[in-house]
Amino acid sequence: MFKSLSEGFKLYNGVESPCIGFGTFQMPNTAVCETAVAEAIKAGYRHIDTAAIYGNEETCGSGIKKSGVKREELFITTKLWNDVRGYDETIAAFDESLEKLGLDYLDLYLVHWPNPLKHRANWKAANAESWRAIEKLYADKRVRAIGVSNFMLHHMDALLETAKVVPMANQIMLHPGAMQDDVVKQCEGKNILIQAYSPIGQGSMYECVPVIEMAKRYNKTVAQLCIRFSLQKGWQPLPKTQTISRIAENANVFDFEISDADMSALSAMNDFAGSIQNPDTAGF
């Protein structure tokens, strides 16, 4: 088990991804995001996760620059949004993200959702063309690893019908009460890294009495318990906070271990499964 933020998961292509990512979902493209990213890196995070649709790639990039940490010491992820599919369009979207971030390469590039509303009539073919472009970016060493996000079983199976490179990661919502066991099993079987976004349930875990009581027993915060839960499950958690005091606090998870009984109790919760959006019916 990991002992610090500097350690990481090894993707099947040998690239190492720092064990806890710093999420930036819903952070405004202002000094708030820039400061949060810079402070996260200062606190020891080396993995920053953003996306085109978050609208904050510019300030993530300025926060990275402000940190003063060498680029090669960082792991930066962004994602292809739903309005873009197709070979040339995907290359152009990648270039735009790089420019906004102020970088000359990415560490991980993901297809954000598998069945966007704009391309719902032909999502399978649309994903195949975008993935072909992403494979080209990978072959050209413009990105060190490639993957997907929010892909369920049938989305992954469809992509693999034409893919020459198996995705190296699948970023999905995972937390106690929203387990997605079938997707997890599929990824584990294909050696695809499971990235757990919203590991605190977008804040819902703060209102979950069993989790609150368990965190107290470990003398840890709810966030720390949930992040540690992800790590012990073998998932890469991507917690987000723009509260400066909580940035370092959320990473203070290497000095305790959740018991097998408590891991089982957390895994058996099912109160929040409805928080998972269905990519095939989502209105975006």
Side-chain angles (χ1 to χ4, degrees), residues 125-203:
N127 284 344
E129 271 301 281
S130 284
W131 190 251
R132 188 168 68 89
I134 292 171
E135 288 177 332
K136 172 63 173 171
L137 293 166
Y138 177 63
D140 289 347
K141 301 187 185 303
R142 301 190 65 201
V143 57
R144 299 172 67 221
I146 56 178
V148 297
S149 182
N150 299 295
F151 272 51
M152 302 174 81
L153 301 185
H154 59 291
H155 304 126
M156 185 71 76
D157 288 340
L159 188 70
L160 293 178
E161 288 178 13
T162 55
K164 295 179 180 178
V165 179
V166 175
M168 292 151 196
N170 188 5
Q171 186 177 128
I172 59 177
M173 176 178 277
L174 283 172
H175 58 82
M179 299 295 290
Q180 302 211 57
D181 292 332
D182 55 348
V183 180
V184 168
K185 184 177 180 180
Q186 181 190 53
C187 290
E188 289 175 343
K190 298 182 183 301
N191 200 21
I192 297 170
L193 176 66
I194 301 157
Q195 296 185 311
Y197 75 76
S198 299
I200 314 164
Q202 294 184 335

Side-chain angles (χ1 to χ4, degrees), residues 4-280:
S4 73
L5 283 171
S6 63
E7 300 178 34
F9 291 92
K10 187 163 286 190
L11 304 176
Y12 77 72
N13 69 341
V15 169
E16 189 168 290
S17 179
C19 60
I20 300 177
F22 183 72
T24 63
F25 176 55
Q26 293 182 333
M27 284 193 193
N29 194 39
T30 66
V32 170
C33 182
E34 178 184 287
T35 299
V37 168
E39 286 294 322
I41 295 171
K42 180 180 178 180
Y45 292 83
R46 292 295 179 265
H47 180 174
I48 307 298
D49 181 90
T50 184
I53 192 58
Y54 297 173
N56 60 17
E57 288 174 317
E58 293 98 336
T59 47
C60 280
S62 57
I64 289 166
K65 185 176 181 180
K66 184 178 180 179
S67 76
V69 172
K70 294 179 181 178
R71 171 65 183 95
E72 58 268 26
E73 296 179 16
L74 301 173
F75 189 97
I76 312 300
T77 300
T78 194
K79 310 175 190 80
L80 178 75
W81 185 235
N82 294 356
D83 59 344
V84 179
R85 287 298 185 272
Y87 186 90
D88 292 335
E89 295 87 345
T90 297
I91 300 289
F94 179 89
D95 289 339
E96 183 178 353
S97 286
L98 269 191
E99 183 177 358
K100 287 180 177 179
L101 285 161
L103 304 176
D104 55 11
Y105 71 93
L106 281 176
D107 297 283
L108 180 63
Y109 194 50
L110 306 177
V111 178
H112 204 150
W113 285 86
N115 191 354
L117 186 62
K118 181 178 178 179
H119 301 277
R120 192 147 292 168
N122 65 335
W123 65 268
K124 183 176 174 180
N127 284 344
E129 271 301 281
S130 284
W131 190 251
R132 188 168 68 89
I134 292 171
E135 288 177 332
K136 172 63 173 171
L137 293 166
Y138 177 63
D140 289 347
K141 301 187 185 303
R142 301 190 65 201
V143 57
R144 299 172 67 221
I146 56 178
V148 297
S149 182
N150 299 295
F151 272 51
M152 302 174 81
L153 301 185
H154 59 291
H155 304 126
M156 185 71 76
D157 288 340
L159 188 70
L160 293 178
E161 288 178 13
T162 55
K164 295 179 180 178
V165 179
V166 175
M168 292 151 196
N170 188 5
Q171 186 177 128
I172 59 177
M173 176 178 277
L174 283 172
H175 58 82
M179 299 295 290
Q180 302 211 57
D181 292 332
D182 55 348
V183 180
V184 168
K185 184 177 180 180
Q186 181 190 53
C187 290
E188 289 175 343
K190 298 182 183 301
N191 200 21
I192 297 170
L193 176 66
I194 301 157
Q195 296 185 311
Y197 75 76
S198 299
I200 314 164
Q202 294 184 335
S204 62
M205 294 296 98
Y206 291 116
E207 301 174 5
C208 181
V209 173
V211 173
I212 293 169
E213 292 179 347
M214 189 182 294
K216 288 178 180 177
R217 285 197 284 106
Y218 285 95
N219 196 29
K220 289 292 181 178
T221 68
V222 166
Q224 288 167 338
L225 182 78
C226 291
I227 292 164
R228 179 71 192 189
F229 172 74
S230 283
L231 290 173
Q232 287 186 216
K233 293 291 285 188
W235 309 333
Q236 182 181 59
L238 306 169
K240 169 256 177 178
T241 182
Q242 58 194 48
T243 304
I244 302 303
S245 62
R246 289 181 180 168
I247 291 174
E249 181 180 87
N250 285 352
N252 184 20
V253 297
F254 302 105
D255 59 350
F256 77 110
E257 184 172 348
I258 303 172
S259 71
D260 290 344
D262 286 340
M263 286 294 294
S264 295
L266 291 170
S267 298
M269 291 174 54
N270 58 13
D271 298 346
F272 298 89
S275 62
I276 302 169
Q277 284 194 290
N278 184 342
D280 295 322

